[in-house]
């Protein structure tokens, strides 16, 4: 896949290029350009602040879908130890758009499940661009039931454009598979913590994201329908996606306001792909804190806490 | 010139897939001209080809429930505009227009009513109301219905007709899927039957939540049922969709629903189910001769 810089990042990249040039000419030709370099570096930082502190919902969507952005398996590698991947739904096949397994999070065995996108075309074909078929959701549920049996808490990472809209997916009950997960996750007897790490694409995201706590990474997005789809439905024109993104309220801040999520996990300025370790560390801190609280909660309370969280969501008037 | 007038009747109602008005109606499948009164008597099913016209929530209610037994719940819930959503129209304007068009406040009516001799908690979706879409109010009403059914130990029947989650309330609409499914996970522990009736069309966020979580799933003949819409799938897979794809009969073949039922038999099927689940009969209700359930049997049930 050809990796392009994002349009709105261009001023930063240009300045960074200048710094590189100055640095190489100062070392090659022996000029002392340290002052100029320092000035430019300050300018870059200011520019970064200016751009990333005020990015639009659409720009955030672009970062959330950035081809260099860390995916579920990257975070598992950075956050956990001794990961053993478990495969298959025991009914039909192994859907690689959702991965899962057991791992250790600071000495605590957890079941971790997440959507997995591919890094290149070949891998994306294998991963179906992170769009799961019913078997992905069924595999996830199998692993959650497994977690329940052994009292392992569950972590889910969300990063999908949506559930796969295919012929086979319909034949094998996409709607039913997602619905079943929503119902079963609501009364799972172990803690579930969800982190939206990239794209939270509609029902396909929701299908593994019912949790006691839901967090979103700073530049991630979560929506009922993608900005492009929303734009093409409303205006019969995909090019209005920028407006649709803004209208729908898809950022962490919006979701926090509506009580849908419980917190926003900070990323490196400009996106976690600029420093995956730093973001991973922030995720780990959040997860550890959440499990410290949830793992000592009695089962009944754990389930009612989760239910009440969802029961409250919605805005209406009673006349 | 009686023929001239009848042609006018035929030509006047232009609403596609809407409720046929006037003396004559045209079947949307076989194009035959039908006498409207006969069509209504036939449960709005074309007597020639069996095409099931879409029903509004009110029509469905009157086909299934005994007269004057419906007690509506939560009729006072109304949508607000949490996102200040505006495309070519403002969201409150769309709601207002839908309310005027349908005479309903929202896309679902919920309450308690009597089917034959059985008291049930029921929900009826109204497709003409913004495509029967689910947002905060619909989710809340469904949740309260499920909770009420659980508290009063009533069987639950939801008749769906919905395009899915409503875009204009964004993520709040999506979360109604989680909310309603969670409510069902508690209801299902009470061992009361939940029967979901999927009608034309049931897709998206409604099919991927409560509609597919029932103990018994009934699909109405010919109904379009699925997760993604057929157009989206066709664009994605870039191939022709199989014959009868996402139709009720297709779902039955693939093991996704328990049965496909002709509309005229729906009530009888529901009554049979209630009887087998030992649901208590409401003795004060007069026996409906059409229904064909012997009261003696239902009165001696063990429920």
């Amino acid at each position: 896949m050809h990796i392009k810089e994002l349009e709105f990042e261009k001023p930063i990249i240009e300045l960074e290029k200048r710094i590189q040039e100055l640095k190489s000419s100062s070392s090659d030709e022996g000029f002392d350009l340290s002052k100029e370099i320092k000035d430019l570096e300050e300018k870059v930082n200011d520019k970064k602040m200016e751009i990333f502190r005020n990015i639009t919902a659409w720009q955030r969507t672009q970062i959330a879908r950035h081809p260099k952005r860390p995916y579920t398996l990257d975070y598992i590698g950075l956050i956990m130890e001794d990961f053993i991947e478990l495969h298959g739904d025991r009914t039909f096949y192994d859907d690689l758009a959702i991965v899962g397994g057991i791992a250790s999070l600071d000495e605590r065995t957890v079941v971790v499940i997440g959507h997995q996108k591919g890094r290149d075309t070949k891998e994306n074909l294998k991963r179906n661009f992170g769009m799961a078929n019913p078997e992905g959701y069924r595999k996830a549920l199998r692993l959650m039931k497994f977690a329940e049996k052994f009292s392992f808490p569950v972590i889910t990472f969300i990063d999908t454009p949506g559930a796969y809209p295919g012929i086979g997916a319909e034949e094998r009950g996409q709607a039913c598979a997602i619905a079943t997960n929503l119902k079963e996750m609501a009364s799972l007897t172990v803690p579930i913590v969800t982190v939206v790490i990239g794209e939270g694409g509609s029902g396909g995201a929701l299908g593994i994201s019912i949790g006691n706590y839901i967090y979103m990474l700073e530049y991630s997005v979560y929506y009922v329908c993608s900005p492009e789809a929303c734009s093409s439905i409303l205006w019969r024109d995909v090019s209005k996606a920028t407006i649709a993104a803004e209208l729908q309220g898809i950022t962490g801040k919006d979701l926090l306001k509506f009580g849908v999520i419980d917190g926003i996990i900070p990323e490196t300025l400009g996106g976690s792909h600029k420093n995956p370790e730093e973001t991973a560390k922030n995720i780990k801190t959040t997860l550890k804190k959440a499990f410290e609280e949830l793992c000592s909660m009695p089962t009944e309370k754990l389930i009612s806490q989760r239910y009440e969280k969802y029961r409250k969501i919605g805005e209406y008037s009673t006349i | 010139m009686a023929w001239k007038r009848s042609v006018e009747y035929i030509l006047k109602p232009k609403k596609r897939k809407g409720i046929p008005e006037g003396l004559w109606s045209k079947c949307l499948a076989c194009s035959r001209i039908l006498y409207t009164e006969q069509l209504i008597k036939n449960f709005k099913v074309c007597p020639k080809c069996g095409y099931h016209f879409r029903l509004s929530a009110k029509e469905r209610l009157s086909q299934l429930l005994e007269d004057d037994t419906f007690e509506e719940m939560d009729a006072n819930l109304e949508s607000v505009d949490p996102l200040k959503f505006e495309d070519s129209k403002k969201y409150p304007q769309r709601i207002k227009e839908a309310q005027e068009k349908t005479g309903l406040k929202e896309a679902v009516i919920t309450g308690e009513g009597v089917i034959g001799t059985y008291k049930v908690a029921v929900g009826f979706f109204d497709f003409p109301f913004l495509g029967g879409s689910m947002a905060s109010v619909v989710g809340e009403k469904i949740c309260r219905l499920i909770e009420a059914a659980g508290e009063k130990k009533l069987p639950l029947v939801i008749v769906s007709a919905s395009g899915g989650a409503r875009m204009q309330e964004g993520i709040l609409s999506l979360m109604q899927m989680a909310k309603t499914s969670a409510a069902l996970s508690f209801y299902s522990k009470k061992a009361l039957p939940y029967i979901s009736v999927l009608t034309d069309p049931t897709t998206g966020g409604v099919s991927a939540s409560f509609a597919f979580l029932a103990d018994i799933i009934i699909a109405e003949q010919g109904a379009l049922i699925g997760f993604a819409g057929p157009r989206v799938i066709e664009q994605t897979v870039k191939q022709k969709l199989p014959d009868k794809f996402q139709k009720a009969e297709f779902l039955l073949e693939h093991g996704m629903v328990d049965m496909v039922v002709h509309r005229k038999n729906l009530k009888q099927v529901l009554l049979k189910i209630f009887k087998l689940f030992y649901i208590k009969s409401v003795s004060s209700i007069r026996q409906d001769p059409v229904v064909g359930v012997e009261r003696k049997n239902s009165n001696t049930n063990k429920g």
Side-chain angles (χ1 to χ4, degrees):
Chain A
M1 189 180 285
H2 182 58
I3 297 164
K4 271 200 301 190
E5 64 263 26
L6 300 172
E7 192 61 36
F8 61 92
E9 282 188 301
K10 276 189 177 154
I12 299 169
I13 288 157
E14 230 131 81
L15 282 172
E16 279 173 343
K17 240 189 230 161
R18 283 275 313 277
I19 293 171
Q20 275 310 318
E21 279 165 18
L22 285 179
K23 273 184 181 167
S24 62
S25 65
S26 79
S27 65
D28 291 353
E29 292 158 41
F31 298 132
D32 182 16
L33 296 169
S34 56
K35 193 179 171 294
E36 283 82 352
I37 292 170
K38 211 179 146 222
D39 283 353
L40 269 181
E41 276 172 346
E42 266 172 30
K43 217 172 150 192
V44 168
N45 278 336
D46 289 349
K47 197 85 208 162
K48 274 188 186 167
M49 286 293 205
E50 184 198 316
I51 289 175
F52 290 114
R53 291 280 177 249
N54 302 304
I55 58 167
T56 64
W58 175 245
Q59 289 166 340
R60 232 173 251 276
T61 310
Q62 287 175 297
I63 299 177
R65 294 171 178 169
H66 200 288
K68 281 187 183 167
R69 198 169 168 82
Y71 297 146
T72 293
L73 288 173
D74 300 316
Y75 284 127
I76 290 175
L78 289 167
I79 295 168
M80 296 162 208
E81 276 151 30
D82 303 326
F83 174 60
I84 301 173
E85 188 173 349
L86 302 171
H87 292 271
D89 71 336
R90 298 291 185 272
T91 307
F92 191 65
Y93 80 113
D94 185 34
D95 187 346
L96 296 172
I98 287 182
V99 294
I102 40 176
S104 174
L105 175 81
D106 257 3
E107 307 295 307
R108 195 194 295 279
T109 302
V110 295
V111 164
V112 56
I113 299 161
H115 301 100
Q116 181 65 38
K117 291 180 176 176
R119 214 37 92 188
D120 50 36
T121 312
K122 199 179 152 206
E123 206 198 345
N124 257 325
L125 287 176
K126 193 170 97 176
R127 303 279 182 200
N128 201 25
F129 299 85
M131 293 186 283
N133 274 285
E135 292 71 27
Y137 297 102
R138 289 178 184 135
K139 169 165 79 174
L141 184 58
R142 178 178 80 83
L143 295 178
M144 286 186 252
K145 290 286 175 187
F146 164 95
E148 193 170 53
K149 178 174 171 186
F150 296 103
S151 301
F152 298 146
V154 175
I155 298 167
T156 66
F157 289 126
I158 308 305
D159 191 14
T160 180
Y164 185 59
I167 295 172
E170 295 289 327
E171 287 174 335
R172 302 190 303 275
Q174 188 74 289
C176 189
I178 292 173
T180 305
N181 280 17
L182 303 183
K183 183 182 167 199
E184 294 298 324
M185 288 179 89
S187 50
L188 206 75
T189 57
V190 291
I192 309 171
V193 176
T194 287
V195 184
V196 184
I197 57 171
E199 259 183 293
S202 196
L206 190 67
I208 58 166
S209 70
I210 307 299
N212 293 85
Y213 289 124
I214 315 280
Y215 299 100
M216 275 174 81
L217 288 189
E218 192 180 342
Y219 296 103
S220 67
V221 288
Y222 200 167
Y223 38 71
V224 64
C225 124
S226 75
E228 291 92 335
C230 178
S231 155
S232 83
I233 293 167
L234 293 179
W235 295 283
R236 312 224 166 264
D237 176 5
V238 186
S239 69
K240 292 218 164 71
T242 47
I243 305 167
E246 216 62 55
L247 260 180
Q248 282 199 308
I250 61 176
T251 70
K253 227 171 128 187
D254 299 313
L255 271 71
L256 197 60
K257 188 179 86 190
F258 289 129
V260 173
I261 61 164
D262 300 280
I264 298 168
I265 301 175
E267 292 183 44
T268 309
L269 195 67
S272 55
H273 56 289
K274 312 227 161 164
N275 189 347
E277 289 78 14
E278 192 187 340
T279 308
K281 214 178 114 199
N282 294 342
I283 298 176
K284 191 171 183 172
T285 313
T286 308
L287 288 175
K288 276 172 64 184
K289 202 171 147 242
F291 285 137
E292 263 163 38
E293 183 202 335
L294 295 170
C295 288
S296 59
M297 226 182 235
T299 311
E300 223 162 88
K301 194 167 171 227
L302 194 70
I303 293 168
S304 68
Q305 183 267 353
R306 198 183 302 141
Y307 181 55
E308 274 154 30
K309 173 183 160 58
Y310 287 95
R311 186 65 191 82
K312 282 195 298 227
I313 301 176
E315 297 201 359
Y316 49 85
S317 74
T318 46
I319 306 152
Chain B
M1 299 289 266
W3 66 269
K4 212 172 182 180
R5 214 181 309 145
S6 44
V7 167
E8 272 166 21
Y9 273 120
I10 297 159
L11 295 177
K12 256 182 199 164
K14 288 276 183 194
K15 276 188 280 173
R16 260 195 89 237
K17 303 231 166 183
I19 310 147
E21 284 157 11
L23 194 56
W24 298 93
S25 308
K26 190 174 168 182
C27 175
L28 299 173
C30 70
S31 300
R32 279 200 181 83
I33 305 301
L34 307 166
Y35 188 42
T36 304
E37 211 179 288
Q38 190 196 359
L39 181 66
I40 291 169
K41 259 190 202 148
N42 202 38
F43 300 87
K44 286 219 167 163
V45 176
C46 172
K48 307 286 181 202
C49 74
Y51 172 76
H52 286 49
F53 284 74
R54 284 177 180 172
L55 296 183
S56 68
K58 282 179 179 165
E59 288 174 309
R60 180 71 67 176
L61 188 152
S62 70
Q63 281 192 10
L64 286 182
L65 298 188
E66 305 315 315
D67 291 347
D68 305 319
T69 62
F70 184 64
E71 288 166 51
E72 192 174 354
M73 282 165 38
D74 305 307
N76 59 338
L77 293 193
E78 253 194 89
S79 287
V80 292
D81 186 12
L83 296 177
K84 306 273 169 282
F85 201 96
E86 182 181 358
D87 46 279
S88 58
K89 263 181 213 161
K90 286 186 172 161
Y91 177 46
Q93 180 64 26
R94 282 191 193 279
I95 293 278
K96 210 176 135 225
E97 285 172 12
Q99 287 174 336
E100 280 162 10
K101 181 171 125 192
T102 60
L104 302 175
K105 277 204 170 160
E106 254 299 332
V108 72
I109 321 177
T110 54
E112 286 173 32
V114 176
I115 302 179
T117 58
Y118 302 100
K119 190 159 197 181
V120 290
V122 276
F124 300 101
F125 272 78
D126 194 71
F127 193 73
F129 194 108
L130 297 178
S133 56
M134 174 160 70
S136 297
V137 171
V138 171
E140 183 67 23
K141 281 173 103 171
I142 293 290
C143 253
R144 290 190 188 184
L145 176 73
I146 296 166
E147 287 166 349
E151 275 160 31
K152 296 179 179 176
K153 297 197 168 47
L154 294 175
L156 176 65
V157 177
I158 300 177
V159 183
S160 300
S162 170
R166 190 180 298 165
M167 210 167 19
Q168 286 87 343
E169 289 188 32
I171 198 78
L172 292 177
S173 300
L174 188 74
M175 291 300 147
Q176 302 312 311
M177 294 167 66
K179 185 163 125 180
T180 52
S181 304
L184 278 174
S185 89
F186 298 106
Y187 179 80
S188 74
K189 292 196 167 67
K190 298 186 194 241
L192 291 159
Y194 162 35
I195 296 136
S196 176
V197 183
L198 312 178
T199 73
D200 190 55
T202 300
T203 58
V206 165
S207 68
S209 63
F210 60 86
F212 260 110
L213 292 174
D215 300 295
I216 295 179
I217 303 176
I218 300 173
E220 200 166 66
Q221 198 174 304
L224 176 88
I225 301 156
F227 175 67
R231 243 180 312 145
V232 175
I233 296 169
E234 208 158 31
Q235 280 164 14
T236 308
V237 301
K238 295 184 178 66
Q239 64 183 88
K240 208 178 163 285
L241 301 177
D243 202 29
K244 294 264 174 197
F245 183 63
Q246 295 186 310
K247 293 286 178 191
E249 297 71 16
F250 178 92
L251 271 93
L252 181 70
E253 221 172 88
H254 285 90
M256 292 305 141
V257 298
D258 290 292
M259 62 191 98
V260 174
V261 170
H262 188 289
R263 191 177 288 158
K264 71 169 194 273
N265 300 326
L266 181 59
K267 191 165 169 176
Q268 273 141 304
V269 170
L270 289 174
L271 291 172
K272 232 189 209 174
I273 294 169
F274 296 145
K275 184 178 164 231
L276 292 169
F277 274 89
Y278 307 121
I279 302 301
K280 219 183 260 167
S281 237
V282 189
S283 47
S284 60
I285 300 301
R286 224 168 10 95
Q287 179 62 53
D288 184 340
V290 186
V291 165
V293 165
E294 290 169 39
R295 279 185 65 203
K296 206 172 70 189
N297 277 355
S298 25
N299 277 344
T300 53
N301 68 53
K302 298 164 187 132

